[in-house]
Amino acid sequence: RPVKEGTGRTVCYELIPLDELGRPRVDVLASLSGIFRDSFANVVDLLDDMFERAAVADESPDMNYIKKHAMELEAGGTERPAARLFSNPPGDYGSMVNEVIGNGDWDESEALGEIWKGRNAYSYGRKEGGGGTRSGTARPEILDKLLSTTERVVQEIDSVEYGLTDIQEYYANTGALKKAAENRKEVDSSTGKAKKVAISVIEAFGVASDDSSKILVKDVEDVLRMEYRSKFLNPKWRDAMLEQGSGGAYEVSQRMTAMVGWAATADVDNFVFDQAAERYALDEDVARKLQQSNPEAFKNVVRRLLEASGRGMWDADEETIEELKSLYADADDLVEQVASSFG
């Protein structure tokens, strides 16, 4: 909990005693965006100091998993075993997973997790970087250890305007982190697949209806269903985007790409793809308006539906797929015609 001076400024975070905490001290991998890393360096330092103290606290490792994992890393010769704040290389931003999803240059979803890991292997804090500059240190062995013990990813949403399905960065970071952790799990003999890592979503602006002091925690699957039903699959939202012309068509296209990103890193229900196809591609009037306002955006909508089917994300019937292939061929021809008219 924060310790503040007279002015209200937080000077450090003190460890809550275990008897007051009432449970073991949980280990945490903190994934920082490049913007947070650079804008709140003082907070990064305070958090780093907190983890360092937790790793050497006079507590049993069985009740302090930060200490337990730090001891295991130290025994293996790892430097700075209490490092817990990870981000992109100094001066760099983004996981690049959204770029890979965007160009379709990937085979298995496991690869997306490894791309995320490779882009977030730098540790930050008071004891990182030299020469008086704030910089990180590549510590992939610590990140690998933390990912192997990750059982749940927690994502906060602090905006009522943009949700998980609206922008590419959520699946490219939260979803890809999930895949990176799952890549390091043992295979479940009953399913033949690696153990799943859950994602919990906290909406900072939402509280429980029966107690305003309680913060709602939701499973990512429920949040995705709610967002798709209330926005992307909602005819009112679709029609509002169509009225915006080229910009609205672009927004539709971007959300379709993000849907493939979420399907690759988490789970998207089959009905979402079914209804997306019905509302944006197979509806002749809607398809015509999208093509007229932004031919490239409509082509991407159809492309993502075909991609989802091809990658096993969407179980669609043959008739639907054949219709989409025909639409894609027509859309591709139209894009070429438009391009040649400016050539």
Side-chain angles (χ1 to χ4, degrees):
R1 56 192 164 202
V3 175
K4 300 183 179 182
E5 61 181 12
T7 62
R9 183 176 70 93
T10 297
V11 294
C12 71
Y13 291 99
E14 68 176 6
L15 301 178
I16 298 174
L18 287 174
D19 56 354
E20 182 181 344
L21 193 60
R23 58 167 174 78
R25 207 176 296 285
V26 179
D27 202 355
V28 174
L29 160 61
S31 174
L32 311 179
S33 70
I35 293 175
F36 183 97
R37 171 200 65 198
D38 295 345
S39 301
F40 301 102
N42 61 319
V43 177
V44 172
D45 286 349
L46 290 176
L47 292 173
D48 181 58
D49 170 68
M50 177 191 68
F51 282 119
E52 287 282 351
R53 286 184 286 109
V56 295
D58 185 16
E59 299 169 350
S60 167
D62 292 332
M63 291 296 291
N64 181 339
Y65 284 93
I66 300 171
K67 183 175 183 178
K68 179 181 180 180
H69 296 155
M71 290 173 63
E72 292 172 353
L73 286 163
E74 188 173 29
T78 301
E79 296 182 355
R80 274 266 290 159
R84 293 297 183 273
L85 306 166
F86 284 82
S87 187
N88 311 131
D92 211 342
Y93 304 87
S95 70
M96 303 301 290
V97 171
N98 49 321
E99 280 82 357
V100 174
I101 290 289
N103 60 36
D105 188 20
W106 59 283
D107 293 320
E108 303 296 330
S109 61
E110 289 77 10
L112 302 175
E114 296 314 293
I115 292 171
W116 181 91
K117 177 181 179 292
R119 290 283 300 169
N120 286 272
Y122 278 74
S123 168
Y124 290 85
R126 283 178 172 171
K127 296 185 178 182
E128 301 293 8
T133 61
R134 292 187 181 277
S135 59
T137 305
R139 301 192 186 280
E141 70 285 357
I142 298 181
L143 179 58
D144 201 68
K145 170 68 173 179
L146 295 174
L147 287 170
S148 71
T149 59
T150 296
E151 296 182 358
R152 183 173 294 273
V153 178
V154 180
Q155 172 66 58
E156 182 186 40
I157 300 177
D158 56 10
S159 169
V160 296
E161 185 175 0
Y162 294 107
L164 296 181
T165 61
D166 293 319
I167 54 179
Q168 310 294 322
E169 283 70 20
Y170 279 122
Y171 75 77
N173 289 285
T174 307
L177 191 164
K178 173 183 184 292
K179 293 304 298 184
E182 289 175 345
N183 288 349
R184 286 149 183 81
K185 298 299 181 185
E186 295 182 359
V187 174
D188 187 335
S189 59
S190 63
T191 64
K193 298 180 180 180
K195 181 182 176 182
K196 290 284 187 180
V197 172
I199 299 179
S200 292
V201 178
I202 298 175
E203 297 173 336
F205 48 83
V207 295
S209 58
D210 59 337
D211 187 348
S212 61
S213 67
K214 292 181 180 179
I215 300 298
L216 291 177
V217 180
K218 302 176 181 178
D219 291 333
V220 69
E221 294 82 6
D222 293 334
V223 175
L224 290 175
R225 289 188 196 104
M226 183 275 294
E227 287 194 15
Y228 283 129
R229 281 175 170 145
S230 62
K231 189 175 293 185
F232 192 65
L233 300 179
N234 186 338
K236 290 184 178 180
W237 185 89
R238 177 200 63 189
D239 294 344
M241 290 299 103
L242 292 177
E243 291 176 2
Q244 299 300 314
S246 179
Y250 173 80
E251 292 296 330
V252 169
S253 173
Q254 287 295 293
R255 284 164 176 78
M256 189 66 76
T257 300
M259 187 188 299
V260 171
W262 274 117
T265 57
D267 292 301
V268 173
D269 293 313
N270 208 67
F271 82 84
V272 176
F273 285 104
D274 285 339
Q275 293 184 22
E278 293 171 5
R279 283 163 171 69
Y280 293 100
L282 303 179
D283 184 309
E284 293 183 7
D285 185 51
V286 172
R288 178 178 53 79
K289 290 179 180 178
L290 287 173
Q291 282 186 300
Q292 288 177 344
S293 59
N294 192 327
E296 193 68 59
F298 178 72
K299 177 183 173 181
N300 185 66
V301 166
V302 181
R303 172 195 171 191
R304 297 305 174 184
L305 289 167
L306 290 171
E307 180 182 5
S309 173
R311 293 186 184 276
M313 302 170 177
W314 175 35
D315 183 17
D317 59 74
E318 278 190 39
E319 183 179 351
T320 297
I321 296 303
E322 289 304 315
E323 188 171 354
L324 289 172
K325 287 180 178 178
S326 178
L327 286 170
Y328 184 80
D330 292 342
D332 194 36
D333 289 342
L334 180 58
V335 168
E336 289 186 9
Q337 291 174 19
V338 172
S340 64
S341 67
F342 290 96

Short mmCIF file of all heavy atoms in Angstrom, two decimals, residues 177-216:
data_model
loop_
_atom_site.label_atom_id
_atom_site.label_comp_id
_atom_site.label_asym_id
_atom_site.label_seq_id
_atom_site.Cartn_x
_atom_site.Cartn_y
_atom_site.Cartn_z
N LEU A 177 0.23 -12.00 -24.66
CA LEU A 177 0.85 -12.38 -23.39
C LEU A 177 0.25 -13.71 -22.92
O LEU A 177 0.97 -14.59 -22.43
CB LEU A 177 0.62 -11.28 -22.35
CG LEU A 177 1.39 -11.33 -21.03
CD1 LEU A 177 1.32 -9.98 -20.34
CD2 LEU A 177 0.90 -12.41 -20.08
N LYS A 178 -1.04 -13.84 -23.05
CA LYS A 178 -1.74 -15.10 -22.71
C LYS A 178 -1.13 -16.26 -23.48
O LYS A 178 -0.85 -17.32 -22.91
CB LYS A 178 -3.22 -14.95 -23.02
CG LYS A 178 -4.07 -16.21 -22.88
CD LYS A 178 -5.50 -15.93 -23.30
CE LYS A 178 -6.43 -17.11 -23.09
NZ LYS A 178 -6.14 -18.24 -23.99
N LYS A 179 -0.93 -16.08 -24.79
CA LYS A 179 -0.36 -17.15 -25.60
C LYS A 179 1.08 -17.47 -25.18
O LYS A 179 1.48 -18.63 -25.14
CB LYS A 179 -0.38 -16.77 -27.08
CG LYS A 179 -1.75 -16.66 -27.69
CD LYS A 179 -2.56 -17.94 -27.54
CE LYS A 179 -1.93 -19.13 -28.23
NZ LYS A 179 -2.79 -20.33 -28.15
N ALA A 180 1.85 -16.44 -24.85
CA ALA A 180 3.23 -16.65 -24.40
C ALA A 180 3.27 -17.49 -23.13
O ALA A 180 4.13 -18.37 -22.97
CB ALA A 180 3.92 -15.31 -24.18
N ALA A 181 2.34 -17.22 -22.21
CA ALA A 181 2.28 -18.00 -20.97
C ALA A 181 1.82 -19.43 -21.25
O ALA A 181 2.37 -20.40 -20.70
CB ALA A 181 1.34 -17.32 -19.98
N GLU A 182 0.83 -19.59 -22.12
CA GLU A 182 0.33 -20.93 -22.45
C GLU A 182 1.39 -21.77 -23.15
O GLU A 182 1.43 -22.99 -22.99
CB GLU A 182 -0.91 -20.82 -23.33
CG GLU A 182 -2.13 -20.31 -22.57
CD GLU A 182 -3.34 -20.09 -23.46
OE1 GLU A 182 -3.18 -20.04 -24.71
OE2 GLU A 182 -4.45 -19.95 -22.92
N ASN A 183 2.27 -21.12 -23.91
CA ASN A 183 3.34 -21.85 -24.58
C ASN A 183 4.27 -22.55 -23.60
O ASN A 183 4.99 -23.48 -23.98
CB ASN A 183 4.18 -20.89 -25.45
CG ASN A 183 3.44 -20.42 -26.68
OD1 ASN A 183 2.38 -20.95 -27.03
ND2 ASN A 183 3.99 -19.42 -27.35
N ARG A 184 4.26 -22.10 -22.35
CA ARG A 184 5.16 -22.65 -21.34
C ARG A 184 4.44 -23.55 -20.34
O ARG A 184 5.01 -23.91 -19.31
CB ARG A 184 5.87 -21.49 -20.63
CG ARG A 184 6.93 -20.87 -21.52
CD ARG A 184 7.17 -19.40 -21.30
NE ARG A 184 8.16 -18.94 -22.27
CZ ARG A 184 7.86 -18.63 -23.55
NH1 ARG A 184 6.61 -18.69 -23.97
NH2 ARG A 184 8.82 -18.26 -24.37
N LYS A 185 3.21 -23.90 -20.65
CA LYS A 185 2.44 -24.80 -19.79
C LYS A 185 2.58 -26.25 -20.24
O LYS A 185 2.81 -26.53 -21.42
CB LYS A 185 0.96 -24.39 -19.79
CG LYS A 185 0.68 -23.00 -19.26
CD LYS A 185 1.12 -22.85 -17.83
CE LYS A 185 0.81 -21.46 -17.29
NZ LYS A 185 1.34 -21.26 -15.93
N GLU A 186 2.42 -27.15 -19.29
CA GLU A 186 2.44 -28.56 -19.62
C GLU A 186 1.18 -28.94 -20.39
O GLU A 186 0.13 -28.31 -20.24
CB GLU A 186 2.54 -29.40 -18.34
CG GLU A 186 3.84 -29.23 -17.58
CD GLU A 186 3.89 -30.12 -16.35
OE1 GLU A 186 2.90 -30.84 -16.10
OE2 GLU A 186 4.92 -30.11 -15.66
N VAL A 187 1.29 -29.97 -21.20
CA VAL A 187 0.16 -30.44 -21.98
C VAL A 187 -0.79 -31.22 -21.09
O VAL A 187 -0.37 -32.10 -20.33
CB VAL A 187 0.63 -31.32 -23.16
CG1 VAL A 187 -0.57 -31.92 -23.89
CG2 VAL A 187 1.48 -30.50 -24.12
N ASP A 188 -2.07 -30.88 -21.17
CA ASP A 188 -3.11 -31.59 -20.42
C ASP A 188 -3.39 -32.91 -21.13
O ASP A 188 -3.79 -32.93 -22.30
CB ASP A 188 -4.37 -30.73 -20.36
CG ASP A 188 -5.45 -31.33 -19.45
OD1 ASP A 188 -5.44 -32.56 -19.26
OD2 ASP A 188 -6.30 -30.58 -18.97
N SER A 189 -3.18 -34.02 -20.43
CA SER A 189 -3.34 -35.34 -21.05
C SER A 189 -4.77 -35.60 -21.50
O SER A 189 -5.00 -36.36 -22.44
CB SER A 189 -2.90 -36.43 -20.06
OG SER A 189 -3.68 -36.36 -18.87
N SER A 190 -5.74 -34.95 -20.86
CA SER A 190 -7.14 -35.19 -21.21
C SER A 190 -7.54 -34.49 -22.51
O SER A 190 -8.45 -34.92 -23.21
CB SER A 190 -8.07 -34.73 -20.08
OG SER A 190 -7.95 -33.33 -19.87
N THR A 191 -6.86 -33.37 -22.82
CA THR A 191 -7.20 -32.60 -24.02
C THR A 191 -6.12 -32.65 -25.09
O THR A 191 -6.38 -32.37 -26.26
CB THR A 191 -7.45 -31.13 -23.67
OG1 THR A 191 -6.25 -30.54 -23.15
CG2 THR A 191 -8.56 -31.01 -22.62
N GLY A 192 -4.91 -32.99 -24.68
CA GLY A 192 -3.80 -32.99 -25.62
C GLY A 192 -3.29 -31.60 -25.94
O GLY A 192 -2.48 -31.42 -26.85
N LYS A 193 -3.77 -30.61 -25.19
CA LYS A 193 -3.37 -29.23 -25.42
C LYS A 193 -2.77 -28.64 -24.15
O LYS A 193 -2.99 -29.16 -23.05
CB LYS A 193 -4.56 -28.39 -25.87
CG LYS A 193 -5.18 -28.84 -27.19
CD LYS A 193 -6.35 -27.95 -27.55
CE LYS A 193 -6.99 -28.38 -28.87
NZ LYS A 193 -8.14 -27.53 -29.25
N ALA A 194 -2.01 -27.56 -24.31
CA ALA A 194 -1.42 -26.89 -23.16
C ALA A 194 -2.52 -26.30 -22.28
O ALA A 194 -3.59 -25.91 -22.77
CB ALA A 194 -0.47 -25.79 -23.61
N LYS A 195 -2.26 -26.24 -20.99
CA LYS A 195 -3.22 -25.68 -20.05
C LYS A 195 -3.52 -24.23 -20.40
O LYS A 195 -2.64 -23.45 -20.74
CB LYS A 195 -2.64 -25.75 -18.63
CG LYS A 195 -3.57 -25.21 -17.56
CD LYS A 195 -2.91 -25.26 -16.19
CE LYS A 195 -3.80 -24.62 -15.12
NZ LYS A 195 -3.14 -24.61 -13.80
N LYS A 196 -4.79 -23.87 -20.32
CA LYS A 196 -5.22 -22.52 -20.66
C LYS A 196 -4.85 -21.52 -19.56
O LYS A 196 -4.86 -21.84 -18.37
CB LYS A 196 -6.73 -22.48 -20.87
CG LYS A 196 -7.21 -23.18 -22.14
CD LYS A 196 -6.94 -22.35 -23.37
CE LYS A 196 -7.56 -22.95 -24.61
NZ LYS A 196 -7.29 -22.12 -25.81
N VAL A 197 -4.53 -20.32 -19.97
CA VAL A 197 -4.31 -19.20 -19.05
C VAL A 197 -5.50 -18.26 -19.21
O VAL A 197 -5.84 -17.86 -20.32
CB VAL A 197 -2.99 -18.48 -19.37
CG1 VAL A 197 -2.87 -17.20 -18.54
CG2 VAL A 197 -1.81 -19.39 -19.11
N ALA A 198 -6.13 -17.92 -18.11
CA ALA A 198 -7.34 -17.08 -18.16
C ALA A 198 -6.98 -15.61 -18.26
O ALA A 198 -5.88 -15.19 -17.89
CB ALA A 198 -8.19 -17.33 -16.92
N ILE A 199 -7.92 -14.82 -18.77
CA ILE A 199 -7.79 -13.36 -18.78
C ILE A 199 -8.98 -12.80 -18.00
O ILE A 199 -10.13 -13.10 -18.30
CB ILE A 199 -7.80 -12.78 -20.19
CG1 ILE A 199 -6.62 -13.30 -21.02
CG2 ILE A 199 -7.76 -11.24 -20.13
CD1 ILE A 199 -6.60 -12.75 -22.44
N SER A 200 -8.66 -11.97 -17.01
CA SER A 200 -9.70 -11.25 -16.27
C SER A 200 -9.67 -9.79 -16.71
O SER A 200 -8.60 -9.20 -16.88
CB SER A 200 -9.47 -11.34 -14.76
OG SER A 200 -9.67 -12.65 -14.30
N VAL A 201 -10.85 -9.21 -16.89
CA VAL A 201 -10.96 -7.82 -17.34
C VAL A 201 -11.60 -7.00 -16.23
O VAL A 201 -12.65 -7.36 -15.70
CB VAL A 201 -11.80 -7.71 -18.63
CG1 VAL A 201 -11.93 -6.26 -19.05
CG2 VAL A 201 -11.17 -8.54 -19.74
N ILE A 202 -10.95 -5.90 -15.89
CA ILE A 202 -11.47 -4.98 -14.87
C ILE A 202 -11.82 -3.66 -15.56
O ILE A 202 -10.96 -3.03 -16.18
CB ILE A 202 -10.43 -4.72 -13.76
CG1 ILE A 202 -10.11 -6.02 -13.03
CG2 ILE A 202 -10.95 -3.67 -12.78
CD1 ILE A 202 -9.00 -5.88 -12.00
N GLU A 203 -13.07 -3.29 -15.48
CA GLU A 203 -13.51 -2.01 -16.04
C GLU A 203 -13.46 -0.98 -14.93
O GLU A 203 -14.24 -1.02 -13.99
CB GLU A 203 -14.91 -2.15 -16.62
CG GLU A 203 -14.98 -3.12 -17.79
CD GLU A 203 -16.39 -3.38 -18.27
OE1 GLU A 203 -17.32 -3.20 -17.46
OE2 GLU A 203 -16.57 -3.77 -19.44
N ALA A 204 -12.51 -0.05 -15.04
CA ALA A 204 -12.29 0.91 -13.97
C ALA A 204 -13.50 1.78 -13.69
O ALA A 204 -13.65 2.33 -12.60
CB ALA A 204 -11.08 1.80 -14.32
N PHE A 205 -14.37 1.89 -14.69
CA PHE A 205 -15.55 2.75 -14.55
C PHE A 205 -16.77 1.97 -14.08
O PHE A 205 -17.85 2.53 -13.91
CB PHE A 205 -15.87 3.41 -15.89
CG PHE A 205 -15.88 2.43 -17.04
CD1 PHE A 205 -16.99 1.66 -17.32
CD2 PHE A 205 -14.73 2.26 -17.81
CE1 PHE A 205 -16.98 0.74 -18.36
CE2 PHE A 205 -14.72 1.34 -18.86
CZ PHE A 205 -15.84 0.58 -19.13
N GLY A 206 -16.64 0.66 -13.85
CA GLY A 206 -17.79 -0.16 -13.46
C GLY A 206 -17.69 -0.65 -12.03
O GLY A 206 -16.61 -0.94 -11.52
N VAL A 207 -18.83 -0.70 -11.33
CA VAL A 207 -18.88 -1.20 -9.96
C VAL A 207 -20.05 -2.17 -9.85
O VAL A 207 -20.97 -2.17 -10.68
CB VAL A 207 -19.05 -0.07 -8.92
CG1 VAL A 207 -17.84 0.84 -8.93
CG2 VAL A 207 -20.32 0.73 -9.20
N ALA A 208 -20.02 -3.00 -8.82
CA ALA A 208 -21.10 -3.95 -8.60
C ALA A 208 -22.39 -3.20 -8.25
O ALA A 208 -22.36 -2.19 -7.53
CB ALA A 208 -20.72 -4.92 -7.49
N SER A 209 -23.52 -3.69 -8.73
CA SER A 209 -24.79 -3.01 -8.51
C SER A 209 -25.21 -3.02 -7.05
O SER A 209 -25.91 -2.13 -6.58
CB SER A 209 -25.88 -3.65 -9.37
OG SER A 209 -26.00 -5.03 -9.06
N ASP A 210 -24.75 -4.04 -6.31
CA ASP A 210 -25.16 -4.16 -4.91
C ASP A 210 -24.16 -3.53 -3.94
O ASP A 210 -24.45 -3.38 -2.76
CB ASP A 210 -25.34 -5.64 -4.54
CG ASP A 210 -24.07 -6.45 -4.73
OD1 ASP A 210 -23.21 -6.02 -5.53
OD2 ASP A 210 -23.94 -7.51 -4.09
N ASP A 211 -22.99 -3.13 -4.43
CA ASP A 211 -21.99 -2.56 -3.54
C ASP A 211 -21.02 -1.72 -4.38
O ASP A 211 -20.20 -2.25 -5.13
CB ASP A 211 -21.22 -3.66 -2.81
CG ASP A 211 -20.27 -3.12 -1.75
OD1 ASP A 211 -20.03 -1.90 -1.75
OD2 ASP A 211 -19.76 -3.91 -0.94
N SER A 212 -21.10 -0.41 -4.26
CA SER A 212 -20.28 0.48 -5.09
C SER A 212 -18.80 0.39 -4.76
O SER A 212 -17.96 0.90 -5.51
CB SER A 212 -20.75 1.93 -4.92
OG SER A 212 -20.62 2.34 -3.56
N SER A 213 -18.44 -0.25 -3.64
CA SER A 213 -17.03 -0.38 -3.28
C SER A 213 -16.39 -1.58 -3.95
O SER A 213 -15.16 -1.73 -3.92
CB SER A 213 -16.89 -0.52 -1.75
OG SER A 213 -17.46 -1.75 -1.30
N LYS A 214 -17.19 -2.43 -4.57
CA LYS A 214 -16.66 -3.62 -5.23
C LYS A 214 -16.39 -3.32 -6.71
O LYS A 214 -17.22 -2.75 -7.40
CB LYS A 214 -17.65 -4.79 -5.12
CG LYS A 214 -17.84 -5.33 -3.71
CD LYS A 214 -18.82 -6.50 -3.72
CE LYS A 214 -19.03 -7.06 -2.32
NZ LYS A 214 -20.01 -8.18 -2.33
N ILE A 215 -15.21 -3.73 -7.16
CA ILE A 215 -14.85 -3.58 -8.56
C ILE A 215 -15.23 -4.87 -9.30
O ILE A 215 -14.90 -5.96 -8.86
CB ILE A 215 -13.35 -3.31 -8.73
CG1 ILE A 215 -12.95 -2.03 -7.99
CG2 ILE A 215 -12.98 -3.21 -10.20
CD1 ILE A 215 -13.63 -0.78 -8.51
N LEU A 216 -15.93 -4.74 -10.41
CA LEU A 216 -16.34 -5.90 -11.17
C LEU A 216 -15.15 -6.51 -11.92
O LEU A 216 -14.37 -5.80 -12.54
CB LEU A 216 -17.42 -5.51 -12.18
CG LEU A 216 -18.78 -5.11 -11.62
CD1 LEU A 216 -19.70 -4.68 -12.76
CD2 LEU A 216 -19.41 -6.28 -10.87
#
